[in-house]
């Protein structure tokens, strides 16, 4: 009881969003500006609006940076275009340098995961368009913090007598690595996630306390804004509409229902109608999505195929998939989250059964703890505990079941919308469920709560992991190869040049019999001899005794992060790679590593010239043999 009383005194409704924001700053630092999903076209939308004062029109021109995002509702972009315009962004073309070697959607590789190459990834270069993007990302992170706050408040509405449950529900959002990653990026997801969480909170208040003029006005404005932020905002509007219908059926307040409906219609007409009317005028459809699919491609996949082939990606990307769906964390984390989800699902069934029987984990006839009158937000008229018609345990049980039911309805509507969209285009990614994260997190928290699992046992490890993940998983993909003051004694010395780039030394494992499916670590020490305006591309290949290529990949030094013209002259850089032996590779008595360089993008191949002046077609280093 003393521990519970202590938790009640903690200002968690403020502390949790603050902890989220501070954690998000780590992600802001770790992931450079363009390294989240679809960031470049989101930036393209902002840039186009800021520079032209108009919205882009969808077309088949795939060279435009905004790409398919031209189909999106514009509220986020309009807000951020004002921010973009406040900075000198004339250097954008010098900063946005897409990598030609990026590996999309493949988590098996070790490098070439960066979408863009950065002259200064760490610490971030805070000038010009780079600074503008970091400010936009900071504001987006603030939207995520509001969403965390709204989830906490929603949980307090569902279970007003248990601050611990609200803390757990909020923590499942605040310390979700994927939610942190997306919140710290340039994406319209962040605005709709915030508005959706606020709608869910206001919807739960409406279900609990009935219709109220001020509350209805706020809910109407939120729904209208959400529908102009992203089409998933319409799903939240539909959920709120169903909740209002349920309320009028159960309590008969038709006047309150009509008032909410009228306010919502008027707010939508004033705020969002113009964009939907524009779609009808330009594309002959309300949403513009069919036009987008015409220009950027549809797909045909059955529901069964979708579940079998893509559920795995949806599952992991709800928790932690970074970059362009090409960077994941340790598999054990996903297994733990799977286990937690299954346990919570069982617990939710237990919770509902106990609630229906009248012996839920929180006694239904208990009074919620005393807290400030505005604990549920600035729009709450009076605390739940003093509502005179709330004294009946049966009424409180009914309210609790209704709240849980509509959380489930909202999540089900969101999942159905995502499935329908994924049947037309590739969209089965966990971040698209974040507008419904209030429902998901509270339902998970209720299940964990019902089984009396200690909440710190969930919150503390998730918090620690969310802080560690950027350093161990994200940053290694974007940092430049380190400069070394002297070559290590263990490295084999070399003196081979390709143009103005020299291999000073290298480290290979001892020659041995390698197995198909294995990995071979190699390290090079490169030195730029002159300041070349040409970027050389590195080709690393495993070759057999006949000189046939077994596997190969192209990159820049630093596994795709640093073209050699950026190197400081007369400085050695340590460049590490993992050569992956294909699982179906045939056995060979001699396995070698072949090193080639050519002038990027389509220039000639450079000969390898030894220190004695001998010219080689390529440099080959013996690795041993390869067995099946």
């Amino acid at each position: 009881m003393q521990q519970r009383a202590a938790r009640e005194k903690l200002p968690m409704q403020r502390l949790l969003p603050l902890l989220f924001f501070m954690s998000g700053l780590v992600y802001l630092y770790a992931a450079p500006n363009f390294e989240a999903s679809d960031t470049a076209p989101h930036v393209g939308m902002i840039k186009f609006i800021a520079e032209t004062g108009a919205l882009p029109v969808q077309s088949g021109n795939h060279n435009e940076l905004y790409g398919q995002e031209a189909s999106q509702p514009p509220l986020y972009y309009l807000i951020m275009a004002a921010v973009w315009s406040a900075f000198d962004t004339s250097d954008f073309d010098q900063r946005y340098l897409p990598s030609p070697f990026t590996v999309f959607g493949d988590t098996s590789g070790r490098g070439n995961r960066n979408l863009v190459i950065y002259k200064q990834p760490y610490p971030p270069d805070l000038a010009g368009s780079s600074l503008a993007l970091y400010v936009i990302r900071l504001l987006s992170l603030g939207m995520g913090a509001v969403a965390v706050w709204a989830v906490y408040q929603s949980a307090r509405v569902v279970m007003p007598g248990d601050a611990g449950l609200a803390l757990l529900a909020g923590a499942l959002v605040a310390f979700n690595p994927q939610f942190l990653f997306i919140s710290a990026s340039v994406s319209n997801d962040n605005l709709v996630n915030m508005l959706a969480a606020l709608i869910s909170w206001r919807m739960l208040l409406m279900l609990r306390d009935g219709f109220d003029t001020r509350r209805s006005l706020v809910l109407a404005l939120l729904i209208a804004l959400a529908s102009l932020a992203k089409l998933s905002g319409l799903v939240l509007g539909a959920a709120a509409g169903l909740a209002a219908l349920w309320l009028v059926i159960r309590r008969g307040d038709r006047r309150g229902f009509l008032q909410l409906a009228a306010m919502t219609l008027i707010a939508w007409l004033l705020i969002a109608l113009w964009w939907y009317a524009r779609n009808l005028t330009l594309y002959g459809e309300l949403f513009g999505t069919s036009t987008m699919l015409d220009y950027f491609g549809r797909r045909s996949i059955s529901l069964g195929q979708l579940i079998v082939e893509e559920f795995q990606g949806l599952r992991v990307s709800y928790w932690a998939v970074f970059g362009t769906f090409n960077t994941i964390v340790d598999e054990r984390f996903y297994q733990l989250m799977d286990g937690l989800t299954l346990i919570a699902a069982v617990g939710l069934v237990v919770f509902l059964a106990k609630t229906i029987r009248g012996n839920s984990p929180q006694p239904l006839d208990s009074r919620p703890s005393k807290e400030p009158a505005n604990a549920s937000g600035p729009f709450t008229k009076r605390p739940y505990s003093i509502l005179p018609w709330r004294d009946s345990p049966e009424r409180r049980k009914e309210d609790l079941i209704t709240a849980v039911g509509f959380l489930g309805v909202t999540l089900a509507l969101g999942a159905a919308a995502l499935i329908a969209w994924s049947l037309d285009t590739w969209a089965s990614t966990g971040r698209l469920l974040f507008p419904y994260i209030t429902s998901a997190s509270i339902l998970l928290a209720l299940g964990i709560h019902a089984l009396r699992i200690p909440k710190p046992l969930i919150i503390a490890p998730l918090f620690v992991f969310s802080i560690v993940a950027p350093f161990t998983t994200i940053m290694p993909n974007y940092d430049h190869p380190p400069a070394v003051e002297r070559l290590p004694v263990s490295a084999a010395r070399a003196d081979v040049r390709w143009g103005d780039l020299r291999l000073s030394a290298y480290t290979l494992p001892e020659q041995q019999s390698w197995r198909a499916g294995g990995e071979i670590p190699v390290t090079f020490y490169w030195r730029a001899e002159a300041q070349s305006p040409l970027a050389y591309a590195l080709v690393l290949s495993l070759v057999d005794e006949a000189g046939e290529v077994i596997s190969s990949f192209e990159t820049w030094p630093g596994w795709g992060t640093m073209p050699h013209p950026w190197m400081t002259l007369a400085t050695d850089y340590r460049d590490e790679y993992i050569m992956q032996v294909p699982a179906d590779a045939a056995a060979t008595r001699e396995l070698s590593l072949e090193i080639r360089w050519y002038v990027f993008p389509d220039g000639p191949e450079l000969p390898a010239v030894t220190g004695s002046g001998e010219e080689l077609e390529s440099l080959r280093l013996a690795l041993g043999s390869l067995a099946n």
Side-chain angles (χ1 to χ4, degrees):
M1 292 297 291
Q2 291 179 346
Q3 292 180 348
R4 181 170 178 175
R7 282 201 307 268
E8 292 287 347
K9 294 179 181 179
L10 290 175
M12 285 301 173
Q13 59 179 337
R14 300 182 184 90
L15 181 59
L16 193 60
L18 178 61
L19 286 174
F20 166 83
F21 192 84
M22 299 301 291
S23 302
L25 292 178
V26 179
Y27 286 77
L28 192 78
Y29 181 91
N33 276 327
F34 294 95
E35 299 304 328
S37 179
D38 295 334
T39 288
H42 288 309
V43 173
M45 283 286 289
I46 294 169
K47 183 173 179 292
F48 183 90
I49 294 171
E51 292 175 355
T52 67
L55 298 181
V57 177
Q58 296 188 68
S59 73
N61 183 3
H62 290 198
N63 294 323
E64 296 290 352
L65 184 58
Y66 51 74
Q68 76 278 6
E69 303 303 337
S71 66
Q72 295 271 20
L75 184 57
Y76 177 83
Y77 308 114
L78 292 171
I79 295 170
M80 296 311 177
V83 177
W84 181 268
S85 299
F87 295 86
D88 178 7
T89 57
S90 58
D91 62 347
F92 179 80
D93 289 339
Q94 287 73 49
R95 292 185 181 275
Y96 179 64
L97 303 171
S99 171
F101 304 121
T102 304
V103 177
F104 296 89
D106 183 2
T107 60
S108 62
R110 298 297 182 88
N112 288 338
R113 292 177 176 173
N114 52 302
L115 272 169
V116 170
I117 51 174
Y118 306 89
K119 287 189 176 181
Q120 185 182 327
Y122 306 111
D125 185 6
L126 300 180
S129 58
S130 177
L131 176 60
L133 290 175
Y134 275 104
V135 172
I136 289 172
R137 293 174 65 188
L138 198 67
L139 293 174
S140 297
L141 186 61
M143 294 175 182
V146 174
V148 171
W149 176 82
V151 171
Y152 180 91
Q153 298 297 343
S154 296
R156 292 310 307 265
V157 174
V158 175
M159 294 281 278
D162 196 317
L165 181 130
L167 177 60
L168 176 59
L172 289 170
V173 180
F175 307 137
N176 178 330
Q178 188 73 24
F179 190 79
L180 280 159
F181 179 72
I182 294 299
S183 295
S185 71
V186 180
S187 174
N188 64 340
D189 287 350
N190 296 311
L191 180 57
V192 77
N193 291 343
M194 178 187 75
L195 293 170
L198 291 170
I199 290 171
S200 295
W201 168 47
R202 305 309 296 181
M203 180 183 72
L204 289 169
L205 281 173
M206 178 183 70
L207 285 169
R208 188 192 72 180
D209 297 341
F211 294 113
D212 173 86
T213 300
R214 182 167 55 180
R215 186 163 49 246
S216 294
L217 176 60
V218 171
L219 184 56
L221 290 172
L222 290 172
I223 292 171
L225 290 171
S227 71
L228 194 60
K230 198 170 183 178
L231 292 179
S232 51
L234 295 173
V235 177
L236 272 298
L242 290 175
L245 283 172
W246 172 264
L247 196 60
V248 75
I249 291 171
R250 297 297 293 177
R251 299 188 187 174
D253 188 356
R254 295 179 182 176
R255 182 175 179 276
F257 173 80
L258 292 174
Q259 184 182 61
L260 172 62
M263 288 180 175
T264 303
L265 178 61
I266 293 171
W268 188 84
L269 291 174
L270 292 175
I271 293 173
L273 172 65
W274 66 271
W275 183 77
Y276 292 88
R278 176 180 181 269
N279 287 340
L280 280 174
T281 301
L282 291 174
Y283 315 122
E285 54 169 327
L286 270 177
F287 304 138
T289 52
S290 181
T291 303
M292 188 275 282
L293 293 173
D294 289 340
Y295 288 135
F296 288 89
R298 301 172 182 270
R299 71 169 177 174
S300 178
I301 185 173
S302 69
L303 179 59
Q305 284 179 296
L306 181 69
I307 294 172
V308 171
E309 297 174 9
E310 297 183 10
F311 177 76
Q312 171 78 355
L314 178 68
R315 156 193 162 252
V316 299
S317 61
Y318 182 87
W319 293 108
V321 174
F322 309 124
T324 56
F325 227 78
N326 58 11
T327 304
I328 59 175
V329 298
D330 191 289
E331 178 62 25
R332 288 171 292 185
F333 173 74
Y334 304 116
Q335 293 170 352
L336 287 171
M337 292 299 101
D338 287 346
L340 181 66
T341 303
L342 289 173
I343 290 170
V346 172
L348 184 61
V349 174
V350 172
F351 175 85
L352 289 172
K354 288 184 176 181
T355 301
I356 292 171
R357 290 199 307 265
N359 56 347
S360 63
Q362 173 186 291
L364 289 169
D365 58 351
S366 64
R367 286 288 188 271
S369 60
K370 293 182 179 180
E371 55 185 10
N374 66 342
S376 291
F379 304 106
T380 303
K381 288 175 61 177
R382 47 186 176 175
Y384 171 84
S385 57
I386 63 172
L387 293 175
W389 54 279
R390 279 272 169 265
D391 289 337
S392 166
E394 285 300 316
R395 191 59 176 270
R396 284 195 292 276
K397 181 174 74 172
E398 176 188 317
D399 288 347
L400 180 55
I401 294 173
T402 299
V404 173
F406 271 95
L407 289 173
V409 166
T410 302
L411 185 58
L413 288 174
L418 177 57
I419 290 171
W421 183 234
S422 298
L423 291 173
D424 286 331
T425 187
W426 192 90
S428 50
T429 175
R431 68 180 174 84
L432 297 182
L433 286 173
F434 287 162
Y436 325 109
I437 202 168
T438 300
S439 297
S441 297
I442 294 178
L443 293 175
L444 285 172
L446 286 170
I448 295 168
H449 171 79
L451 298 180
R452 302 188 184 278
I453 299 173
K455 297 175 181 65
L457 190 63
I458 307 298
I459 297 172
L462 191 59
F463 172 66
V464 171
F465 184 83
S466 69
I467 295 296
V468 171
F471 298 103
T472 59
T473 306
I474 298 177
M475 291 181 66
N477 295 298
Y478 310 112
D479 206 0
H480 288 169
V484 296
E485 293 185 2
R486 59 178 60 88
L487 297 173
V489 176
S490 60
R493 296 306 189 266
D495 186 8
V496 183
R497 290 185 297 105
W498 292 264
D500 55 27
L501 186 65
R502 180 186 299 274
L503 176 63
S504 300
Y506 61 87
T507 300
L508 300 179
E510 291 185 7
Q511 295 187 37
Q512 57 188 277
S513 179
W514 300 94
R515 294 284 180 180
E519 296 182 338
I520 305 174
V522 298
T523 302
F524 306 111
Y525 295 86
W526 307 110
R527 172 185 288 243
E529 299 287 334
Q531 196 69 54
S532 171
L534 302 174
Y536 302 162
L538 171 64
V539 183
L540 294 176
S541 305
L542 293 176
V543 298
D544 62 15
E545 57 187 317
E548 296 295 325
V549 174
I550 298 173
S551 67
S552 180
F553 67 86
E554 299 182 26
T555 188
W556 276 322
W559 225 338
T561 63
M562 186 178 174
H564 89 279
W566 292 355
M567 292 180 177
T568 302
L569 297 182
T571 301
D572 290 308
Y573 288 84
R574 186 176 72 247
D575 197 13
E576 300 175 329
Y577 297 91
I578 299 291
M579 302 299 298
Q580 295 180 310
V581 184
D584 59 352
T588 180
R589 289 179 297 176
E590 295 180 10
L591 180 66
S592 301
L593 173 65
E594 182 179 73
I595 305 171
R596 295 175 179 269
W597 289 89
Y598 69 91
V599 177
F600 182 83
D602 51 9
E605 186 168 315
L606 299 169
V609 181
T610 66
S612 62
E614 180 184 3
E615 187 171 298
L616 308 173
E617 182 180 347
S618 65
L619 177 65
R620 291 187 183 177
L621 304 174
L623 295 171
S625 62
L626 175 61
N628 287 328

